Amino acid sequence: MNEAWQAEPKRNVAIWVQILVWIGLLGLLILVAIVLAKTQQPILRPGSSVPDFSLSLYDGYQYGDASEVQLSDFLGKVVVVNFWASWCKPCESEAAELESAWKRYRDGGEVIFLGVDYVDTEPEARSYLAKFEVTYPNGPDLGTSISQIFNRNLGVPETYFIDRQGILRFVKIGPFSTAGEIQTVVDPLIAGK
């Protein structure tokens, strides 16, 4: 009668099998950590050549008469690429600083600011641009194709400074606190430093 209730004797797994299982799990965790770390790092680092991209511009935010621009259109100029979104509160805190810096440089013709609206809708984006009186060229990141080039995935705002030869020179993650902070990056690039 007690025989039915008796448990089968436990079989011990060989210690070498246990060690192999733990080594395999540890190796898998290390592999996952490496992959995650790589996805958090920009594909483009300062000193890298920035691949050409096209940005369709919102009506009213064109560059001259152009409703679409390519990065290669601006070789010979310093390019400031700012990723933003209407739903981004930190973007609001830097909007006036970016506009102020743009106004400082726009008449000189040596610097171009490009606003890239990230994962947003056009009505909300246009409302944001009007609210903060933004005047530099702006357009949507259609299909996130531009953000994929920069591997921007830490959240908006992010700003990339590209020199006259198309080389990424500086990356700012998060909002600017003053227009002067932007100038400290742009002025040496204008001077070729």
Side-chain angles (χ1 to χ4, degrees):
M1 181 168 195
N2 285 340
E3 290 177 28
W5 293 100
Q6 284 183 344
E8 286 189 34
K10 290 185 180 179
R11 291 191 209 182
N12 289 334
V13 178
I15 190 76
W16 66 270
V17 172
Q18 292 177 28
I19 291 171
L20 283 177
V21 168
W22 283 108
I23 289 173
L25 286 173
L26 182 62
L28 181 62
L29 287 173
I30 290 171
L31 181 64
V32 168
I34 290 170
V35 168
L36 286 174
K38 284 187 177 182
T39 62
Q40 295 300 314
Q41 297 173 359
I43 292 171
L44 295 176
R45 298 181 189 280
S48 301
S49 180
V50 179
D52 201 14
F53 61 82
S54 293
L55 176 63
S56 296
L57 301 171
Y58 289 128
D59 188 37
Y61 295 91
Q62 298 97 332
Y63 179 71
D65 293 332
S67 59
E68 182 174 307
V69 294
Q70 291 187 279
L71 179 62
S72 58
D73 296 340
F74 304 114
L75 278 176
K77 296 179 187 259
V78 173
V79 182
V80 179
V81 179
N82 176 256
F83 288 92
W84 63 275
S86 64
W87 45 263
C88 165
K89 290 300 178 190
C91 296
E92 292 180 4
S93 70
E94 75 171 3
E97 309 312 325
L98 285 162
E99 181 62 22
S100 175
W102 164 243
K103 286 178 178 176
R104 173 182 170 86
Y105 295 112
R106 73 174 168 203
D107 294 336
E110 295 182 283
V111 180
I112 181 72
F113 280 49
L114 295 175
V116 182
D117 184 22
Y118 178 72
V119 188
D120 212 342
T121 63
E122 186 169 343
E124 283 81 7
R126 290 173 137 311
S127 176
Y128 174 96
L129 292 168
K131 177 180 177 180
F132 294 103
E133 301 176 350
V134 174
T135 61
Y136 54 89
N138 264 275
D141 186 9
L142 300 173
T144 66
S145 61
I146 300 170
S147 59
Q148 289 176 29
I149 291 170
F150 290 91
N151 196 29
R152 66 127 326 276
N153 57 6
L154 298 175
V156 287
E158 288 183 13
T159 307
Y160 297 81
F161 295 82
I162 304 165
D163 72 11
R164 296 174 188 268
Q165 292 75 41
I167 306 298
L168 180 63
R169 292 298 173 194
F170 187 79
V171 178
K172 168 71 172 171
I173 307 296
F176 289 100
S177 53
T178 67
E181 187 180 355
I182 299 166
Q183 290 171 231
T184 61
V185 179
V186 172
D187 287 348
L189 295 177
I190 291 172
K193 297 179 183 175

